[in-house]
PDB file of all heavy atoms in Angstrom:
ATOM      1  N   MET A   1       0.860  -1.184   0.000  1.00  0.00           N
ATOM      2  CA  MET A   1       0.000   0.000   0.000  1.00  0.00           C
ATOM      3  C   MET A   1       0.895   1.233   0.000  1.00  0.00           C
ATOM      4  O   MET A   1       1.770   1.385   0.873  1.00  0.00           O
ATOM      5  CB  MET A   1      -0.877  -0.008   1.249  1.00  0.00           C
ATOM      6  CG  MET A   1      -1.955   1.046   1.220  1.00  0.00           C
ATOM      7  SD  MET A   1      -3.194   0.671  -0.055  1.00  0.00           S
ATOM      8  CE  MET A   1      -3.886  -0.833   0.603  1.00  0.00           C
ATOM      9  N   SER A   4       0.968   7.514   2.285  1.00  0.00           N
ATOM     10  CA  SER A   4       0.167   8.701   2.040  1.00  0.00           C
ATOM     11  C   SER A   4       1.038   9.949   2.075  1.00  0.00           C
ATOM     12  O   SER A   4       2.061  10.002   2.758  1.00  0.00           O
ATOM     13  CB  SER A   4      -0.941   8.825   3.090  1.00  0.00           C
ATOM     14  OG  SER A   4      -1.767   7.682   3.057  1.00  0.00           O
ATOM     15  N   ARG A  16      -7.951  18.344   9.420  1.00  0.00           N
ATOM     16  CA  ARG A  16      -6.829  17.402   9.468  1.00  0.00           C
ATOM     17  C   ARG A  16      -7.236  16.113  10.182  1.00  0.00           C
ATOM     18  O   ARG A  16      -6.932  15.006   9.740  1.00  0.00           O
ATOM     19  CB  ARG A  16      -5.640  18.057  10.178  1.00  0.00           C
ATOM     20  CG  ARG A  16      -4.417  17.145  10.316  1.00  0.00           C
ATOM     21  CD  ARG A  16      -3.321  17.856  11.110  1.00  0.00           C
ATOM     22  NE  ARG A  16      -2.855  19.034  10.400  1.00  0.00           N
ATOM     23  CZ  ARG A  16      -1.892  19.010   9.489  1.00  0.00           C
ATOM     24  NH1 ARG A  16      -1.297  17.863   9.191  1.00  0.00           N
ATOM     25  NH2 ARG A  16      -1.513  20.119   8.887  1.00  0.00           N
ATOM     26  N   ARG A  24      -7.092   6.298   7.682  1.00  0.00           N
ATOM     27  CA  ARG A  24      -6.987   5.053   8.458  1.00  0.00           C
ATOM     28  C   ARG A  24      -8.000   4.012   7.967  1.00  0.00           C
ATOM     29  O   ARG A  24      -7.686   2.828   7.860  1.00  0.00           O
ATOM     30  CB  ARG A  24      -7.222   5.342   9.938  1.00  0.00           C
ATOM     31  CG  ARG A  24      -6.098   6.167  10.596  1.00  0.00           C
ATOM     32  CD  ARG A  24      -6.233   6.132  12.109  1.00  0.00           C
ATOM     33  NE  ARG A  24      -5.325   7.085  12.749  1.00  0.00           N
ATOM     34  CZ  ARG A  24      -5.696   8.296  13.161  1.00  0.00           C
ATOM     35  NH1 ARG A  24      -6.954   8.676  13.011  1.00  0.00           N
ATOM     36  NH2 ARG A  24      -4.825   9.110  13.718  1.00  0.00           N
ATOM     37  N   MET A  33      -7.227   3.637  -4.733  1.00  0.00           N
ATOM     38  CA  MET A  33      -8.053   4.745  -5.205  1.00  0.00           C
ATOM     39  C   MET A  33      -9.091   4.254  -6.218  1.00  0.00           C
ATOM     40  O   MET A  33     -10.233   4.721  -6.236  1.00  0.00           O
ATOM     41  CB  MET A  33      -7.160   5.830  -5.832  1.00  0.00           C
ATOM     42  CG  MET A  33      -6.266   6.541  -4.832  1.00  0.00           C
ATOM     43  SD  MET A  33      -7.214   7.413  -3.570  1.00  0.00           S
ATOM     44  CE  MET A  33      -5.882   8.118  -2.609  1.00  0.00           C
ATOM     45  N   ALA A  44     -11.337   8.510  -8.792  1.00  0.00           N
ATOM     46  CA  ALA A  44     -10.065   8.352  -8.091  1.00  0.00           C
ATOM     47  C   ALA A  44      -9.379   9.698  -7.896  1.00  0.00           C
ATOM     48  O   ALA A  44      -8.758   9.952  -6.858  1.00  0.00           O
ATOM     49  CB  ALA A  44      -9.149   7.397  -8.883  1.00  0.00           C
ATOM     50  N   TYR A  50      -9.481  14.551  -1.822  1.00  0.00           N
ATOM     51  CA  TYR A  50     -10.056  14.464  -0.478  1.00  0.00           C
ATOM     52  C   TYR A  50      -9.003  14.038   0.544  1.00  0.00           C
ATOM     53  O   TYR A  50      -8.852  14.656   1.609  1.00  0.00           O
ATOM     54  CB  TYR A  50     -11.212  13.456  -0.463  1.00  0.00           C
ATOM     55  CG  TYR A  50     -12.368  13.807  -1.354  1.00  0.00           C
ATOM     56  CD1 TYR A  50     -13.259  12.830  -1.808  1.00  0.00           C
ATOM     57  CD2 TYR A  50     -12.570  15.129  -1.791  1.00  0.00           C
ATOM     58  CE1 TYR A  50     -14.319  13.149  -2.646  1.00  0.00           C
ATOM     59  CE2 TYR A  50     -13.625  15.445  -2.623  1.00  0.00           C
ATOM     60  CZ  TYR A  50     -14.488  14.458  -3.044  1.00  0.00           C
ATOM     61  OH  TYR A  50     -15.539  14.779  -3.867  1.00  0.00           O
ATOM     62  N   VAL A  74     -21.159   8.105  12.588  1.00  0.00           N
ATOM     63  CA  VAL A  74     -21.568   9.233  13.431  1.00  0.00           C
ATOM     64  C   VAL A  74     -20.379  10.109  13.822  1.00  0.00           C
ATOM     65  O   VAL A  74     -20.411  11.339  13.674  1.00  0.00           O
ATOM     66  CB  VAL A  74     -22.335   8.720  14.664  1.00  0.00           C
ATOM     67  CG1 VAL A  74     -22.671   9.879  15.597  1.00  0.00           C
ATOM     68  CG2 VAL A  74     -23.606   8.004  14.238  1.00  0.00           C
ATOM     69  N   GLU A 126      -8.967  36.814  -2.823  1.00  0.00           N
ATOM     70  CA  GLU A 126      -9.958  36.768  -3.899  1.00  0.00           C
ATOM     71  C   GLU A 126      -9.616  35.682  -4.916  1.00  0.00           C
ATOM     72  O   GLU A 126     -10.483  34.942  -5.365  1.00  0.00           O
ATOM     73  CB  GLU A 126     -10.041  38.130  -4.590  1.00  0.00           C
ATOM     74  CG  GLU A 126     -10.609  39.227  -3.701  1.00  0.00           C
ATOM     75  CD  GLU A 126     -10.597  40.581  -4.394  1.00  0.00           C
ATOM     76  OE1 GLU A 126     -10.078  40.652  -5.534  1.00  0.00           O
ATOM     77  OE2 GLU A 126     -11.116  41.538  -3.807  1.00  0.00           O
ATOM     78  N   GLU A 154     -25.335  14.651 -22.881  1.00  0.00           N
ATOM     79  CA  GLU A 154     -26.297  15.131 -23.851  1.00  0.00           C
ATOM     80  C   GLU A 154     -27.494  15.785 -23.160  1.00  0.00           C
ATOM     81  O   GLU A 154     -28.019  16.796 -23.617  1.00  0.00           O
ATOM     82  CB  GLU A 154     -26.780  13.968 -24.713  1.00  0.00           C
ATOM     83  CG  GLU A 154     -25.673  13.370 -25.580  1.00  0.00           C
ATOM     84  CD  GLU A 154     -26.175  12.165 -26.349  1.00  0.00           C
ATOM     85  OE1 GLU A 154     -27.344  11.797 -26.160  1.00  0.00           O
ATOM     86  OE2 GLU A 154     -25.395  11.617 -27.123  1.00  0.00           O
ATOM     87  N   GLY A 261      -7.395 -21.245  -9.293  1.00  0.00           N
ATOM     88  CA  GLY A 261      -6.598 -20.624  -8.234  1.00  0.00           C
ATOM     89  C   GLY A 261      -6.598 -19.105  -8.241  1.00  0.00           C
ATOM     90  O   GLY A 261      -5.755 -18.495  -7.587  1.00  0.00           O
ATOM     91  N   GLY A 269     -23.684  -9.673  -5.426  1.00  0.00           N
ATOM     92  CA  GLY A 269     -24.196  -9.460  -6.772  1.00  0.00           C
ATOM     93  C   GLY A 269     -23.332 -10.056  -7.858  1.00  0.00           C
ATOM     94  O   GLY A 269     -23.760 -10.116  -9.006  1.00  0.00           O
ATOM     95  N   ARG A 284     -16.282 -26.247   2.489  1.00  0.00           N
ATOM     96  CA  ARG A 284     -15.199 -27.046   3.068  1.00  0.00           C
ATOM     97  C   ARG A 284     -14.842 -26.571   4.468  1.00  0.00           C
ATOM     98  O   ARG A 284     -14.509 -27.359   5.353  1.00  0.00           O
ATOM     99  CB  ARG A 284     -13.936 -26.941   2.177  1.00  0.00           C
ATOM    100  CG  ARG A 284     -12.805 -27.887   2.592  1.00  0.00           C
ATOM    101  CD  ARG A 284     -11.450 -27.327   2.241  1.00  0.00           C
ATOM    102  NE  ARG A 284     -11.181 -26.127   2.979  1.00  0.00           N
ATOM    103  CZ  ARG A 284     -10.725 -26.097   4.231  1.00  0.00           C
ATOM    104  NH1 ARG A 284     -10.528 -27.229   4.905  1.00  0.00           N
ATOM    105  NH2 ARG A 284     -10.504 -24.958   4.839  1.00  0.00           N
ATOM    106  N   LEU A 301     -23.509 -14.219   0.994  1.00  0.00           N
ATOM    107  CA  LEU A 301     -23.056 -13.050   1.745  1.00  0.00           C
ATOM    108  C   LEU A 301     -23.015 -13.342   3.241  1.00  0.00           C
ATOM    109  O   LEU A 301     -22.055 -13.001   3.933  1.00  0.00           O
ATOM    110  CB  LEU A 301     -23.988 -11.871   1.461  1.00  0.00           C
ATOM    111  CG  LEU A 301     -23.693 -10.586   2.223  1.00  0.00           C
ATOM    112  CD1 LEU A 301     -22.332 -10.018   1.843  1.00  0.00           C
ATOM    113  CD2 LEU A 301     -24.781  -9.537   1.949  1.00  0.00           C
ATOM    114  N   GLY A 312     -11.194 -13.555  12.110  1.00  0.00           N
ATOM    115  CA  GLY A 312     -10.658 -12.327  12.677  1.00  0.00           C
ATOM    116  C   GLY A 312     -10.468 -11.227  11.648  1.00  0.00           C
ATOM    117  O   GLY A 312      -9.649 -10.330  11.864  1.00  0.00           O
ATOM    118  N   ARG A 328      -8.157 -20.328   1.429  1.00  0.00           N
ATOM    119  CA  ARG A 328      -7.269 -21.325   0.816  1.00  0.00           C
ATOM    120  C   ARG A 328      -6.237 -21.855   1.813  1.00  0.00           C
ATOM    121  O   ARG A 328      -5.563 -22.845   1.536  1.00  0.00           O
ATOM    122  CB  ARG A 328      -6.546 -20.737  -0.373  1.00  0.00           C
ATOM    123  CG  ARG A 328      -7.496 -20.349  -1.499  1.00  0.00           C
ATOM    124  CD  ARG A 328      -6.722 -19.976  -2.753  1.00  0.00           C
ATOM    125  NE  ARG A 328      -7.587 -19.530  -3.837  1.00  0.00           N
ATOM    126  CZ  ARG A 328      -8.266 -20.333  -4.616  1.00  0.00           C
ATOM    127  NH1 ARG A 328      -8.174 -21.642  -4.465  1.00  0.00           N
ATOM    128  NH2 ARG A 328      -9.030 -19.843  -5.596  1.00  0.00           N
TER     129      ARG A 328
END
Side-chain angles (χ1 to χ4, degrees):
M1 190 68 65
S4 301
R16 179 183 296 273
R24 291 193 190 98
M33 292 298 180
Y50 298 158
V74 176
E126 293 177 356
E154 295 176 358
R284 188 209 65 82
L301 177 64
R328 296 189 183 281

